[in-house]
Amino acid sequence: MADGLWWVPTILKSIADAVIVGGVDGCVTFMNPAAETLTGRTLEWAEGKCISEVFPLFDEETGRDVEPPQPIAAWELQSVDLPKRLLLRTKLGTLIPIEQTTSPIEENGIILGTVVVFRDVSEQRRHEESLRRRNERLQILSDATGKLLSNDHPEAMVTRLFETVSRHLGLDAYFHFMVNPEADGLQLDSCTGISEAEAQGIKSLHFGEAVCGTVALLKKPIVATDIQNSTDEKVQVAKSFGLRAYACNPLMAGDRLIGTLSFATRNRDRFSDDELEFLEAVCHSVALAKERQRLMNEERERADRHERSAQALIQSEYELRYALEVGRLGSWHVDFPSKEVRCSARCKADFGRGADDPFTYNDFLDCLHADDRKTVIERIEQAFATGVDYEAEYRVYWPDGSLHWISARGRPIDHPNEPTLGLVGLTLDITDRKRNEALLEQQKHILELVVLDSSLSEVLDALCRMIEKQFEAEEMHASILLLDPDGVHLGYGVAPTLPKAYSEAIVGLAIGPTVGSCGTAAFLKKPVYVSDIANDPLWTDFAELALAHGLRACWSHPILSSNDTVLGTVAMYYRHPRQPRANDLQLIDIVTRMATIAIERKQFENELHQRNAQLIDADRRKNEFLAMLAHELRNPLSSIGNAAQLLREDQSGEHRDWANEVLDRQVKHLARLIDDLLDVSRLTHGKIELQRQTIDASIVLDQAVEAVRPTIEQRGQKLTISASREPLPVHADPLRLEQIITNLLTNAAKYTPEGGRIAVAAARLDETIVLSVKDNGVGISPERIPQMFELFTQGDRTLARSEGGLGIGLTIVKTLVEMHGGTVTAASNGPGQGSTFRVTLPAASPEIQSARTPGATKTMTATGTDRNRQGRRLLVVDDNEDTVRSMARLLRLKGHEVATATTGVEAVERVGDFRPEIVLLDIGLPGMDGYQVAQKLRAEKGHEDLLIIAISGYGQDEDRRRTASAGFDHHLVKPIDHDALLTLIGRSCERNPTR
């Protein structure tokens, strides 16, 4: 800087504006303290750096960088348009609004550099913003005040005003209460920002209650701040709404309180002073508007009273006419003796005439129903002659032929000492009332028919006659068609007056989209109104038939059940083209609904009777089954009791073997009974899962035959087997398939006399495998064949009782066959002709056959005796003392060393002490059950080779899966098969012969 200007830095340092001086290269050469303060950078740091780096500018509106003007070696600076609102980013990153000027430093026409002068305008901006907001609020207040004062309904304006104020101040709720003089408190007028339930809680406030009640009591504003941290009782309601700041002002009309108006926010804890001032001004404007409304209402009421008084005379002139119109009353006047008639338009309408149509006394007489004419004339003449009031109800025909009911009342017009001058009176069309009265009476009659269990045809006939009665003047014929059992045709229901030939011709009418009115209505499930059969495309195929019988119009409604299925149709036929009127539609709808009730009730009664018969039969069969069950249980129990008594009294042991055989046989018989009961229960509830594999049905057939052969041989019956030499592959559960065949063979043996014949066959037929069991036994009567597979059904009990049985075997067969995707049928030529049961199963597909597991149907042949030559150490666990002791004795007789336990805890201890090789473990133990015992033993070391066999009364598939997952090796069902148990023990000997 020139030596002559040594004083410039001193001056620049002392001024309040910030100054940055840059050289011609745009780098900083000087900064005064004000510039250092604003930028946050020192001269020492900034010197030599580019002005844009020291003095970074941003456009406040766009946020983009702004490059300061740079000096150039010319007579003027480069032209740069700088934004009007600039922000300076300080060293700390703070953005400060500034104003700046950039000027060149010139000497002798040469640009030496640039000087930038700038200042912080934050306070100026805040002042401008405050001024802007104040102006905005003044504008809001001005607009709102003008609208409030110019609106006859300021209540709606309050809500709009809140929306405007809310956007401006960021408010969340407002509450407007008005004084309720009757309740000595405040009544909520309107509010926003809270739920309907919360608003109900503040519907009314006593003076002094909460913030608004207190404001009303004191007639002074109250401002509540930091509400969520306040313990002030008055603000607890506002606190429960989640509000943080709340300003309430009284609405005053002079010295009179008219209400309160509150504003609140959930976003900050207090309002600024200018906001409170603004809200108070808003409330003042609302109060002015409310008071203006009150004054205007009073003025309007005064004006209305004046207007009503002024109109009283005019109104009285119209009152009668108005009353007549509202009451649908026609007025008439008949002069005497000329009998000239004058009547109102409404009166003419009651007789089917237009307002301008002529209507004379003779016209009146001509339209009267023949049955009513004499009575009406007599009453009119009596009124003229005696001066008594005239009153009559009669029927009249309109020009279109329709019949209507009229109620007429009149009074003679006369003067003292003079004869009657005429009659004046009123008419009322009472057709609907008369129709409804008749309809209600007929509906009552029909409902009585329904309740009194009349036949469906009687009820439907009454319905048709009811609707025909309503249109007797128009010769209407009603018909009801019922849905045919095939579901695609309409059959004859009733048609009391429809030509018989026509009714017979439409029996079996198809349901379709273009099949007359009825077939189409049933198809669409919607009413179909054909006003002219001759020209309607729906009647193309039936028009000739209908027209030949004089039928020109047909309206049909579908009769729909409560679940929207078609039950039939109701049809109304007319002998002239006709469009339905409103009362016609109402009537046919009533008839259709009543038809639905009648038909559904009859269907329900039929279903109820059928169900009742089924329940009676089921109860009978249940009682028979219970009797059979008692018999079947008593027989083996009797034998067991006899054998046990014999063992006690047989000192010599002579009968021991025979008694043991009886006990063994009867226990197995009881087990079979229980297994059958469990099977039918599981099958009924769908709890059996098939373990399918590809097997040869002929092998399973052989196994089943071998299982039943002893019974057949004992009865001396001849058994023949015919099976294909080729494999008969099926994808089935081998155990369940064997159960199917065994049940059929057992049944055949049971119902075939001794020495009879039983034939078993198995063959492939196309894609199926057919198994059949045929006998020459007692046979089945034809009517019982459909019931043979039902639960608890048996054939001839005389023979069956000698063999036992519960009547559930065939039920098990049918269910198991169907689970395999097959069918089972029974056939017989009648009693004494034998019977044939045939099972058809799907043959295994080639893919399944190729996956056949070799040896899948092999059977065990080794005996328990062979496998028990070496004694084992066994632990028997059961909470039943008799079971434990008897099993222990049996096993000791077989040469085994046996220990016992009666609880789960004791069992775990005995395993540790006794070190058994095999544990026979009951499931239902007290405390620690069998599952827990098995899991604990499997979890302990040293028991890896321990064989654990479940002994349980539960034998369902789920029970077996659960014991397997708990660690059991095998699962035996009580009463256990001792041979099966000894076989398992024998397998253990083979597995570990040296243990």
Side-chain angles (χ1 to χ4, degrees):
M1 187 169 291
D3 293 340
L5 300 176
W6 57 268
W7 46 270
V8 172
T10 302
I11 293 175
L12 294 179
K13 290 177 182 180
S14 65
I15 65 176
D17 287 346
V19 179
I20 297 177
V21 178
V24 70
D25 57 357
C27 295
V28 174
T29 59
F30 174 79
M31 289 175 63
N32 70 348
E36 288 180 323
T37 300
L38 279 179
T39 62
R41 299 173 174 89
T42 63
L43 175 60
E44 180 181 0
W45 177 88
E47 191 169 11
K49 291 185 171 56
C50 183
I51 291 178
S52 61
E53 183 179 357
V54 178
F55 187 56
L57 299 180
F58 297 88
D59 187 337
E60 184 175 353
E61 294 181 356
T62 66
R64 296 178 180 174
D65 295 344
V66 177
E67 187 70 24
Q70 300 293 324
I72 58 174
W75 292 102
E76 58 184 11
L77 291 175
Q78 182 179 4
S79 175
V80 177
D81 295 327
L82 295 180
K84 294 182 179 180
R85 301 177 72 87
L86 293 173
L87 296 173
L88 168 65
R89 184 184 295 278
T90 67
K91 179 180 179 181
L92 298 177
T94 306
L95 295 176
I96 300 174
I98 65 167
E99 288 182 352
Q100 67 88 33
T101 58
T102 303
S103 303
I105 301 174
E106 178 187 355
E107 184 176 357
N108 298 324
I110 299 174
I111 302 300
L112 301 177
T114 305
V115 57
V116 180
V117 180
F118 57 98
R119 67 184 61 86
D120 184 351
V121 293
S122 298
E123 186 62 30
Q124 178 183 338
R125 293 282 178 85
R126 281 193 292 271
H127 179 72
E128 290 173 353
E129 178 63 20
S130 175
L131 185 61
R132 184 191 64 78
R133 290 182 66 83
R134 179 176 291 274
N135 289 336
E136 183 179 351
R137 291 170 186 169
L138 288 174
Q139 185 63 44
I140 291 172
L141 192 59
S142 175
D143 292 345
T145 301
K147 291 178 181 178
L148 286 168
L149 294 178
S150 62
N151 197 304
D152 288 342
H153 302 284
E155 295 88 350
M157 285 305 304
V158 171
T159 302
R160 295 180 202 164
L161 175 61
F162 169 74
E163 293 172 356
T164 303
V165 173
S166 174
R167 286 193 298 271
H168 182 70
L169 298 182
L171 303 179
D172 298 296
Y174 90 92
F175 305 87
H176 179 206
F177 287 89
M178 294 296 291
V179 171
N180 184 355
E182 297 179 357
D184 194 27
L186 298 176
Q187 187 75 26
L188 184 64
D189 187 74
S190 61
C191 67
T192 61
I194 61 174
S195 69
E196 181 65 27
E198 289 172 328
Q200 287 295 325
I202 59 169
K203 203 67 177 177
S204 60
L205 297 175
H206 296 295
F207 289 138
E209 182 182 359
V211 176
C212 294
T214 306
V215 168
L217 182 65
L218 301 177
K219 298 182 181 180
K220 292 182 180 180
I222 291 180
V223 178
T225 61
D226 195 15
I227 292 174
Q228 294 303 311
N229 296 316
S230 175
T231 59
D232 188 346
E233 184 65 29
K234 292 191 298 295
V235 302
Q236 295 309 305
V237 174
K239 184 176 181 179
S240 68
F241 297 156
L243 303 174
R244 294 170 58 186
Y246 191 98
C248 180
N249 286 276
L251 299 180
M252 304 295 294
D255 295 332
R256 184 172 57 85
L257 177 73
I258 61 174
T260 65
L261 184 58
S262 311
F263 297 92
T265 178
R266 296 185 176 93
N267 301 316
R268 56 188 188 277
D269 290 328
R270 63 191 68 253
F271 293 109
S272 65
D273 291 342
D274 61 333
E275 287 176 334
L276 292 174
E277 181 183 354
F278 173 61
L279 292 177
E280 187 174 353
V282 169
C283 293
H284 180 67
S285 296
V286 172
L288 287 176
K290 288 286 186 179
E291 181 63 12
R292 174 182 175 276
Q293 181 193 22
R294 185 186 68 81
L295 294 174
M296 289 182 62
N297 288 342
E298 290 180 356
E299 181 62 29
R300 187 179 293 112
E301 182 61 28
R302 283 194 296 269
D304 288 344
R305 286 196 299 269
H306 179 73
E307 180 68 19
R308 286 194 297 270
S309 297
Q311 293 293 328
L313 186 58
I314 299 174
Q315 183 66 25
S316 62
E317 183 180 343
Y318 290 99
E319 282 180 355
L320 179 58
R321 183 181 302 174
Y322 179 77
L324 294 176
E325 287 296 326
V326 170
R328 304 181 66 83
L329 295 170
S331 60
W332 52 269
H333 180 277
V334 179
D335 284 335
F336 186 81
S338 66
K339 297 198 177 171
E340 179 182 348
V341 175
R342 297 190 301 275
C343 53
S344 66
R346 177 70 259 176
C347 180
K348 288 184 179 182
D350 289 341
F351 292 88
R353 269 68 172 179
D356 297 328
D357 293 344
F359 188 62
T360 67
Y361 187 73
N362 288 331
D363 292 334
F364 165 69
L365 296 179
D366 289 342
C367 71
L368 287 171
H369 191 283
D371 294 341
D372 300 333
R373 184 178 293 112
K374 180 180 177 182
T375 301
V376 172
I377 293 173
E378 288 177 352
R379 293 187 181 182
I380 292 175
E381 291 178 348
Q382 182 183 17
F384 276 123
T386 64
V388 298
D389 287 350
Y390 156 73
E391 183 175 347
E393 289 184 355
Y394 47 83
R395 289 162 290 180
V396 296
Y397 287 100
W398 282 14
D400 63 4
S402 59
L403 189 67
H404 294 257
W405 275 90
I406 301 296
S407 174
R409 293 172 179 264
R411 176 164 292 179
I413 303 173
D414 54 16
H415 294 283
N417 304 319
E418 290 186 13
T420 299
L421 302 178
L423 283 176
V424 63
L426 302 173
T427 59
L428 175 65
D429 188 333
I430 58 171
T431 304
D432 289 341
R433 191 195 80 192
K434 286 289 188 178
R435 178 177 292 174
N436 291 335
E437 288 174 354
L439 190 61
L440 287 173
E441 188 63 31
Q442 291 165 336
Q443 284 180 281
K444 179 182 176 183
H445 171 65
I446 292 169
L447 292 175
E448 287 175 350
L449 291 177
V450 173
V451 173
L452 294 176
D453 202 24
S454 300
S455 67
L456 181 61
S457 60
E458 287 182 273
V459 177
L460 299 183
D461 184 270
L463 276 174
C464 286
R465 294 186 185 279
M466 178 184 79
I467 197 170
E468 289 175 350
K469 181 71 173 176
Q470 297 293 318
F471 296 94
E472 60 180 334
E474 301 180 67
E475 200 174 356
M476 187 272 290
H477 306 281
S479 165
I480 295 180
L481 299 179
L482 298 178
L483 183 69
D484 196 78
D486 65 8
V488 295
H489 293 86
L490 294 172
Y492 178 73
V494 292
T497 63
L498 201 63
K500 184 177 180 181
Y502 177 82
S503 297
E504 292 174 350
I506 63 173
V507 171
L509 182 71
I511 296 175
T514 57
V515 189
S517 299
C518 296
T520 307
F523 179 79
L524 299 176
K525 294 185 179 181
K526 294 180 180 179
V528 173
Y529 305 110
V530 173
S531 59
D532 189 354
I533 290 174
N535 301 311
D536 196 289
L538 295 180
W539 281 80
T540 300
D541 298 332
F542 309 97
E544 184 177 352
L545 173 66
L547 295 174
H549 291 88
L551 306 176
R552 287 297 303 273
C554 181
W555 314 334
S556 181
H557 267 223
I559 304 173
L560 302 178
S561 69
S562 53
N563 59 1
D564 202 41
T565 59
V566 175
L567 302 174
T569 60
V570 174
M572 298 169 63
Y573 291 89
Y574 291 89
R575 294 192 175 274
H576 52 84
R578 192 179 184 293
Q579 285 281 2
R581 295 186 290 263
N583 59 342
D584 301 332
L585 301 180
Q586 180 183 10
L587 180 59
I588 194 172
D589 183 64
I590 291 172
V591 172
T592 304
R593 292 177 185 275
M594 294 191 70
T596 298
I597 294 172
I599 296 171
E600 287 194 322
R601 179 181 173 87
K602 186 56 64 176
Q603 290 178 344
F604 174 76
E605 288 175 354
N606 293 338
E607 292 172 3
L608 189 62
H609 291 155
Q610 183 179 4
R611 181 60 178 162
N612 188 47
Q614 292 172 348
L615 290 175
I616 291 173
D617 183 62
D619 185 64
R620 176 187 57 77
R621 289 191 283 116
K622 179 203 69 175
N623 292 335
E624 292 175 355
F625 165 75
L626 292 176
M628 286 188 289
L629 178 61
H631 181 275
E632 293 302 318
L633 292 176
R634 288 191 183 100
N635 279 344
L637 289 175
S638 177
S639 300
I640 290 171
N642 293 337
Q645 184 67 25
L646 182 61
L647 288 173
R648 282 195 296 270
E649 298 183 5
D650 183 17
Q651 301 297 327
S652 64
E654 177 184 355
H655 303 289
R656 180 178 177 181
D657 291 341
W658 179 87
N660 286 335
E661 290 178 3
V662 169
L663 290 172
D664 183 61
R665 184 166 57 253
Q666 296 304 326
V667 167
K668 289 180 178 178
H669 180 54
L670 284 173
R672 283 196 301 274
L673 289 177
I674 294 172
D675 286 343
D676 281 350
L677 287 171
L678 292 175
D679 270 351
V680 76
S681 174
R682 292 195 294 267
L683 287 167
T684 301
H685 293 88
K687 294 184 177 179
I688 283 186
E689 293 184 8
L690 299 179
Q691 306 299 319
R692 292 195 182 201
Q693 53 185 284
T694 302
I695 57 177
D696 187 346
S698 60
I699 296 177
V700 179
L701 176 65
D702 292 340
Q703 293 172 344
V705 168
E706 291 306 313
V708 184
R709 188 184 295 277
T711 301
I712 296 175
E713 290 177 349
Q714 182 182 3
R715 297 178 59 83
Q717 295 165 339
K718 183 179 179 181
L719 175 66
T720 59
I721 303 173
S722 175
S724 172
R725 294 185 178 182
E726 297 296 326
L728 302 176
V730 292
H731 193 56
D733 184 327
L735 294 178
R736 296 302 180 184
L737 183 56
E738 182 178 347
Q739 184 180 6
I740 292 169
I741 302 172
T742 300
N743 279 11
L744 292 176
L745 280 171
T746 302
N747 228 42
K750 182 189 304 183
Y751 290 100
T752 300
E754 293 185 5
R757 297 188 303 277
I758 300 174
V760 181
R764 180 167 189 145
L765 181 62
D766 297 330
E767 298 301 319
T768 62
I769 303 299
V770 180
L771 308 172
S772 64
V773 177
K774 183 177 181 180
D775 63 65
N776 66 341
V778 298
I780 310 169
S781 59
E783 65 272 10
R784 288 188 59 82
I785 289 179
Q787 305 170 6
M788 291 306 298
F789 296 99
E790 294 181 6
L791 196 59
F792 310 141
T793 298
Q794 283 193 325
D796 183 358
R797 288 185 178 78
T798 303
L799 181 62
R801 288 280 54 80
S802 65
E803 300 299 328
L806 299 176
I808 59 179
L810 291 180
T811 301
I812 294 174
V813 168
K814 182 176 185 292
T815 306
L816 287 175
V817 169
E818 290 176 349
M819 289 177 67
H820 282 84
T823 59
V824 58
T825 59
S828 175
N829 292 329
Q833 301 298 312
S835 58
T836 301
F837 288 84
R838 180 185 176 104
V839 174
T840 304
L841 297 172
S845 64
E847 293 80 0
I848 296 177
Q849 293 182 43
S850 65
R852 179 176 177 180
T853 304
T857 60
K858 289 183 179 179
T859 59
M860 296 185 297
T861 58
T863 65
T865 303
D866 295 334
R867 295 181 175 180
N868 282 275
R869 292 174 180 171
Q870 182 176 358
R872 296 284 115 180
R873 294 169 63 84
L874 290 94
L875 174 63
V876 179
V877 185
D878 199 301
D879 60 339
N880 186 294
E881 292 284 353
D882 289 340
T883 300
V884 169
R885 291 175 182 175
S886 60
M887 181 60 71
R889 289 187 180 189
L890 174 64
L891 294 173
R892 289 184 184 119
L893 286 176
K894 294 296 183 179
H896 301 294
E897 184 178 354
V898 183
T900 63
T902 57
T903 67
V905 174
E906 184 184 0
V908 174
E909 294 175 352
R910 293 308 305 271
V911 168
D913 299 339
F914 183 61
R915 307 295 296 174
E917 301 167 80
I918 302 171
V919 178
L920 305 184
L921 182 56
D922 183 29
I923 299 298
L925 296 173
M928 179 186 290
D929 63 24
Y931 299 118
Q932 296 169 314
V933 172
Q935 291 169 346
K936 184 172 180 61
L937 293 177
R938 291 304 184 201
E940 294 179 353
K941 294 183 178 180
H943 303 317
E944 293 82 1
D945 295 329
L946 183 64
L947 182 69
I948 305 177
I949 301 175
I951 307 294
S952 174
Y954 302 100
Q956 298 188 26
D957 295 341
E958 177 59 29
D959 302 318
R960 297 178 184 276
R961 282 194 293 269
R962 188 175 177 188
T963 53
S965 64
F968 287 87
D969 296 293
H970 301 286
H971 186 118
L972 297 180
V973 180
K974 296 178 181 178
I976 64 171
D977 184 334
H978 293 94
D979 289 339
L981 174 60
L982 295 177
T983 298
L984 293 177
I985 294 174
R987 287 182 184 175
S988 171
C989 295
E990 293 176 353
R991 186 176 64 181
N992 295 308
T994 60
R995 283 196 58 186

